[in-house]
Amino acid sequence: QVQLAESGGALVQAGGSLRLSCTVSGLPSSRYVMGWFRLASGKEREFVAGINWSGDDTLYVNSVKGRFTISRDNAKNTMFLQMNSLKVEDTAVYYCAAGGGPTYGASSRNYAYWGQGTQVTVSS
């Protein structure tokens, strides 16, 4: 059974940094795209970042470009989201996702498997 587990969410001051991790188990290989989504209170689920299976190509929502960095370590079956210069509006539950196809874009349909989420709260 495929399982994704996020960790690293915390309460942090605006301007601070956090690193989220997502560990994948149950997939036959590391050749799958991965992405991060977030769900803020009162808002719809939003795509944050995506990465191809080899980790050499990425995509970000405009609001996090230059502040967030997505990466992966296939040897450890783990994906990361380094979040710097955090803003209050980054507050949300962050979810990792994985899919077996080549597309890692904003559509949630690119990702077949989802984690349970980790809470990120940024205080002013």
Side-chain angles (χ1 to χ4, degrees):
Q1 182 178 357
V2 177
Q3 296 185 46
L4 281 67
E6 307 98 331
S7 63
L11 172 64
V12 64
Q13 289 183 300
S17 299
L18 286 174
R19 189 181 76 161
L20 306 184
S21 299
C22 174
T23 299
V24 180
S25 62
L27 286 172
S29 74
S30 296
R31 295 190 175 185
Y32 47 81
V33 298
M34 297 190 74
W36 289 96
F37 290 75
R38 64 187 180 187
L39 180 62
S41 179
K43 296 186 177 181
E44 299 296 322
R45 181 176 58 189
E46 178 187 36
F47 170 81
V48 178
I51 189 167
N52 70 337
W53 73 267
S54 60
D56 59 2
D57 201 11
T58 58
L59 180 68
Y60 299 92
V61 67
N62 287 338
S63 62
V64 308
K65 288 181 179 178
R67 300 190 297 118
F68 290 11
T69 302
I70 187 172
S71 62
R72 63 193 295 170
D73 184 343
N74 288 341
K76 297 181 179 180
N77 297 315
T78 302
M79 174 179 65
F80 305 96
L81 184 67
Q82 179 66 45
M83 304 184 294
N84 298 327
S85 301
L86 282 162
K87 303 176 180 179
V88 172
E89 50 263 46
D90 293 318
T91 296
V93 177
Y94 283 71
Y95 298 88
C96 66
T103 303
Y104 56 98
S107 175
S108 62
R109 289 179 289 183
N110 295 324
Y111 308 95
Y113 309 103
W114 296 81
Q116 295 300 306
T118 185
Q119 176 70 235
V120 172
T121 303
V122 184
S123 62
S124 62

